Amino acid sequence: MRITKFEYLTPSSLEEACLVLQQHGSQAAVLAGGTDLLVKMKNPRHSHPQYVVSLKNIQGLEYIRRDKDMLRIGALTKLDAVANSEVIKTAYSSLAFAADNMATPQIRNIGTIAGNLCNAARSADMAPPLMALEALLNIVSPQGTRTIPVDSFFAGQGKNTLRSGEIVTEVVIPLPPARFALWYQKFSPRSARDIAAVGVAVALRLDSGGKCEKCRIFLGAVADTPIRAPLSEAVITGNKIDEVLAAAAGKQAVSECRPIDDNRATADYRRHIVGVVTKDAILEAYRGVVA
Ligand SMILES: Cc1cc2nc3c(=O)[nH]c(=O)nc-3n(C[C@H](O)[C@H](O)[C@H](O)COP(=O)(O)OP(=O)(O)OC[C@H]3O[C@@H](n4cnc5c(N)ncnc54)[C@H](O)[C@@H]3O)c2cc1C
């Protein structure tokens, strides 16, 4: 398949990029790594932007750094850098693991963390762990800047809540408190590095007595967007975690997902896997705290 003709724009500042995007509205699309955008542009079922606005000439959008009690990741940071960052591995090894288990080395060397979120696939592997971690997105536009939680960024399969002229500039993650762990588990029947048929992220904080003080559970690839599983969280919160409790929380998660049938898995199979993987992810997160 061939890509329809388009104009390639290479602004050298965020201000310029936002203005160009606003000027061309729905005719323009941001290009970060292009691993999703260019695939879509080859597909006749998708709309084709007349203007592709590359962020590659804009300096200062690729970094990972600790800043007081936050971890800051620039929008153009490659998935490979997330997977191999010592700062991320130290704070959240499961987030690094999630990035390391996406796609192929070639794609991870081009694809960016913000691109994975902005593409808004229900199966985006960066979404459930970042949502569980209460991560935020910094966004810039000609009107100024705003910050939104990652868990309110998705608006449907392939849709996000960005407005005309807006660009995501940074992902901000709070550093872990005491007695806290994150676990992200992806299930894909074809190979571990294929797109997720189910993804589950669990973030747990235990109190000094070993009971679950706070729990955030997010499910990927089993609804139009990655979703929170509050009923499953409620089973865990306030209790001492063991196999029986984790299995009960897994069962609740099954009742909260809304999967579809597709070529990766049937909806019924996905429901079954949600129960199994949620239970496992809760137990792994728990072990991560008590180890
Ligand atoms: C072979 C293959 C395997 C893959 N496997 C996986 C997998 O296992 N798991 C998974 O989650 N994904 C997978 N992907 C998808 C893909 O690699 C990721 O989603 C990637 O992170 C997208 O990043 P990008 O920088 O290439 O985004 P791009 O393709 O450049 O952009 C994606 C979308 O986001 C918008 N956008 C990008 N950056 C910004 C920004 N800063 N501000 C505003 N809008 C922006 C673009 O306009 C576009 O709509 C795979 C892709 C391929 C081709």
Side-chain angles (χ1 to χ4, degrees), residues 139-158:
I139 294 168
V140 67
S141 75
Q143 284 68 47
T145 57
R146 66 183 180 114
T147 299
I148 62 164
V150 176
D151 66 17
S152 65
F153 183 64
F154 284 59
Q157 168 61 12

Side-chain angles (χ1 to χ4, degrees), residues 14 21 28-40 49 53 55-56 61 74-79 98-99 101-104 107-108 110-127 138-140 153 158 160 162 166-170 184 186 188 191-196 264:
L14 276 170
L21 282 172
V30 168
L31 178 113
T35 63
D36 282 320
L37 183 69
L38 296 176
V39 173
K40 278 187 182 168
V53 183
L55 302 183
K56 292 182 186 190
L61 289 175
L76 290 193
T77 302
K78 309 283 191 305
L79 296 164
N101 278 277
M102 288 171 65
T104 60
I107 297 290
R108 292 197 298 277
I110 304 172
T112 62
I113 186 166
N116 187 243
L117 297 173
C118 293
N119 188 55
R122 58 167 70 85
S123 57
D125 279 312
M126 287 292 94
N138 283 333
I139 294 168
V140 67
F153 183 64
N160 62 45
L162 286 178
E166 287 192 325
I167 293 173
V168 173
T169 55
E170 191 178 52
Y184 177 64
K186 166 180 175 175
S188 190
S191 92
R193 282 163 196 261
D194 189 16
I195 306 277
R264 287 196 168 74

